[in-house]
Amino acid sequence: MAVTTVYKEPAPIVDRENPLESMMSRFNIAAEILGLDESTYNVLKAPDKQVIVNIPVTMDNGQIRVFEGYRVVHNTILGPSKGGIRYDMHVHLDEVKALAAWMTWKCAVVDIPYGGAKGGIICDPTKMSAGEIERMTRGYTLALKDVFGPDRDIPAPDMGTGPREMAWLMDEFSKTTGATSPAVVTGKPLVMGGSLGRVEATGRGVMVSAIAAMKKLGMDPTKSSAAVQGFGNVGSWAAKLLCEKGVKIKGVSDISGAYWNEEGINIDEAIAYKNAHNGRLEGYTGATSMDPDELLTSAVDVLVPAAVEDVITEHNAERIQAKLIVEGANGPTSASADDIINRKGIMVVPDILANSGGVTVSYFEWVQNRLGYKWSEGMVIERAARIMNDAFEKVYATSQKYKVPMRIAAYIVAIDKVAQTYKFRGGY
Ligand SMILES: NC(=O)C1=CN([C@@H]2O[C@H](COP(=O)(O)OP(=O)(O)OC[C@H]3O[C@@H](n4cnc5c(N)ncnc54)[C@H](O)[C@@H]3O)[C@@H](O)[C@H]2O)C=CC1
Ligand SMILES: O=C(O)CCC(=O)C(=O)O
């Protein structure tokens, strides 16, 4: 008889700060500056919906494991909720709540008609077979079939997931509901309604916002250097596209370690190496290995954290040498580091602006699916860049107007849009 085990360890990393607290502390500052009324504040401070599901999966050895999964819908006043799904051992409910709220703010900052949501499953996909991941993804979809929907809640990839998982989700949802439903999920493979440009969209948006910020700071990309933490979808594309703009990428890292080349890393070569080595840079010889903690404080002009939350903290912020931080990851800077970074005069392009290129092209994918029509890659790139540059200028102008850092300015832009929509829609 198959043995059933509940797969829910190791415990979340305890020395990381709580991302939900970091999100709330910035929200509180922006809400106070805006003079947000108490009822809207109370509506926005907690998610609309939090769903926890148990997903039994038959593993390849015949054992049944039960995985714990989450979907949090933070808010839907601007439209159906949107946000990725994360497969990682450190997923926990507070993290998913923070990530869902960041999606509400992100969609509002770039002015696309979505609310915010996020999902995750506690699992280590690097230790599971494709079949096990498929069965888990289908189980998660089935458990959440009443939450997901093209007009309700639209998932997408995040850490540990990509087009393959989105295809399984779309297939399972379509079979369950009896109607082919490409618009229920974005980030799908191209052949089944994925959008050209979605895979690289988040990294491209990081590049677009980095270039916009460098212009404001009078920095010449061709005379600037950068370090990129995380070499997955977002980090590797950001590194490649910044490199194409002439930025010298001196350091990169992933979960296997950090790698440095004073003359600049050959990013195409590093990506090819990673693709040939199970998605990891381990053993890469085009750079020398360095202490991963030192990457964040290395002598570069631009720092791109593109991995996990809370890596820039009160413990290392003082030592950061970069003039510009462009947040590819969600929540890489904990609130405890904000004052130090601001005092040092470092410009931060915050996550809800810098990594919004992904959800922007996801929106394009959803629009194309609903129209049953495909856009050219050029159109996707041009429209996404326009949206991001407009959002950057709006946030920059808001930071000047209120004399606040770019992060608080981005929250002000987002909360203001959501609050104004509540005023028109009413309903509470
Ligand atoms: N994929 C997307 O379209 C979007 C992703 N993001 C955010 O970007 C971040 C990265 O996501 P993806 O690139 O999609 O994930 P991914 O799974 O493709 O890559 C994650 C990368 O981070 C590395 N990593 C993990 N822990 C690390 C650590 N402690 N130190 C250094 N590197 C570490 C992994 O080895 C891998 O290279 C996440 O915060 C995610 O929420 C934000 C917007 C959209
Ligand atoms: O593409 C999307 O819909 C959401 C991507 C995402 O999860 C994020 O921006 O953090």
Side-chain angles (χ1 to χ4, degrees):
M1 197 185 83
V3 183
T4 302
T5 57
V6 176
Y7 192 56
K8 199 190 166 186
E9 24 83 43
I13 295 176
V14 284
D15 57 357
R16 272 196 208 152
E17 291 177 44
N18 185 324
L20 186 59
E21 283 167 17
S22 278
M23 187 283 295
M24 277 310 294
S25 78
R26 280 80 172 246
F27 171 67
N28 285 340
I29 296 170
E32 190 165 336
I33 292 172
L34 272 174
L36 190 67
D37 64 279
E38 199 182 336
S39 44
T40 311
Y41 177 87
N42 286 334
V43 167
L44 293 174
K45 75 174 185 192
D48 286 357
K49 193 187 294 181
Q50 310 171 44
V51 185
I52 303 177
V53 292
N54 267 340
I55 314 153
V57 176
T58 306
M59 305 303 279
D60 291 347
N61 65 5
Q63 198 184 45
I64 295 164
R65 274 194 181 161
V66 182
F67 293 84
E68 186 161 299
Y70 308 94
R71 187 70 181 172
V72 173
V73 174
H74 173 258
N75 190 270
T76 55
I77 193 76
L78 297 181
S81 50
K82 189 85 189 82
I85 299 170
R86 177 173 293 197
Y87 289 177
D88 189 80
M89 282 311 292
H90 301 295
V91 164
H92 60 96
L93 187 56
D94 272 3
E95 179 191 52
V96 184
K97 280 159 105 173
L99 289 162
W102 280 322
M103 288 307 306
T104 303
W105 313 139
K106 192 181 304 187
C107 294
V109 165
V110 283
D111 204 8
I112 56 178
Y114 288 138
K118 203 83 175 195
I121 303 179
I122 305 171
C123 66
D124 182 353
T126 65
K127 299 209 172 79
M128 295 167 70
S129 70
E132 289 167 345
I133 298 173
E134 176 175 355
R135 293 191 286 281
M136 183 181 73
T137 304
R138 288 185 184 278
Y140 179 74
T141 307
L142 206 52
L144 290 165
K145 68 176 176 20
D146 297 328
V147 176
F148 296 153
D151 289 307
R152 286 199 298 267
D153 179 35
I154 307 140
D158 190 72
M159 268 178 69
T161 61
R164 182 182 68 166
E165 287 74 18
M166 302 306 114
W168 290 328
L169 197 154
M170 179 272 188
D171 182 71
E172 191 64 29
F173 184 85
S174 296
K175 281 179 179 153
T176 306
T177 56
T180 303
S181 200
V184 70
V185 61
T186 60
K188 299 178 293 295
L190 277 182
V191 289
M192 50 181 287
S195 177
L196 288 163
R198 174 61 185 92
V199 170
E200 59 271 40
T202 311
R204 185 177 291 284
V206 169
M207 177 275 286
V208 168
S209 51
I211 297 295
M214 288 167 100
K215 212 176 267 174
K216 296 286 183 206
L217 294 172
M219 292 164 70
D220 177 350
T222 64
K223 295 193 178 80
S224 301
S225 58
V228 180
Q229 184 196 46
F231 209 63
N233 172 284
V234 180
S236 65
W237 276 105
K240 180 180 164 62
L241 295 167
L242 280 169
C243 192
E244 284 176 13
K245 292 287 174 193
V247 178
K248 192 183 276 187
I249 312 294
K250 292 188 175 181
V252 295
S253 73
D254 70 2
I255 194 71
S256 73
Y259 308 85
W260 184 267
N261 185 336
E262 187 60 32
E263 301 314 313
I265 292 171
N266 181 329
I267 297 298
D268 284 334
E269 193 187 272
I271 291 174
Y273 182 91
K274 170 190 96 149
N275 290 340
H277 292 84
N278 213 13
R280 290 161 73 100
L281 285 168
E282 199 165 11
Y284 177 59
T285 52
T288 46
S289 140
M290 73 185 291
D291 178 347
D293 290 340
E294 282 175 18
L295 185 89
L296 298 170
T297 56
S298 59
V300 288
D301 302 304
V302 184
L303 184 61
V304 180
V308 290
E309 296 100 62
D310 294 312
V311 293
I312 299 174
T313 66
E314 60 190 329
H315 304 298
N316 61 6
E318 199 64 67
R319 286 178 282 119
I320 289 177
Q321 300 186 59
K323 302 189 249 312
L324 171 64
I325 298 173
V326 186
E327 296 184 336
N330 286 302
T333 308
S334 42
S336 68
D338 284 351
D339 285 347
I340 304 169
I341 287 171
N342 298 337
R343 180 173 36 77
K344 283 168 70 83
I346 300 170
M347 183 194 263
V348 178
V349 185
D351 44 11
I352 56 173
L353 173 60
N355 70 31
S356 60
V359 73
T360 299
V361 176
S362 274
Y363 165 56
F364 295 165
E365 181 172 326
W366 180 78
V367 168
Q368 291 171 76
N369 292 159
R370 307 201 78 161
L371 290 174
Y373 189 74
K374 250 189 172 339
W375 298 0
S376 70
E377 189 175 14
M379 191 185 280
V380 169
I381 291 173
E382 192 268 318
R383 290 184 175 184
R386 192 174 350 129
I387 284 181
M388 289 210 62
N389 278 317
D390 286 353
F392 183 93
E393 289 304 331
K394 190 165 187 183
V395 171
Y396 187 79
T398 304
S399 83
Q400 304 279 299
K401 177 177 169 193
Y402 290 97
K403 299 190 177 14
V404 292
M406 290 282 281
R407 186 188 312 282
I408 299 302
Y411 276 73
I412 290 176
V413 168
I415 295 168
D416 191 37
K417 179 172 163 78
V418 170
Q420 282 196 47
T421 311
Y422 266 113
K423 281 218 174 77
F424 282 110
R425 283 185 66 169
Y428 61 77

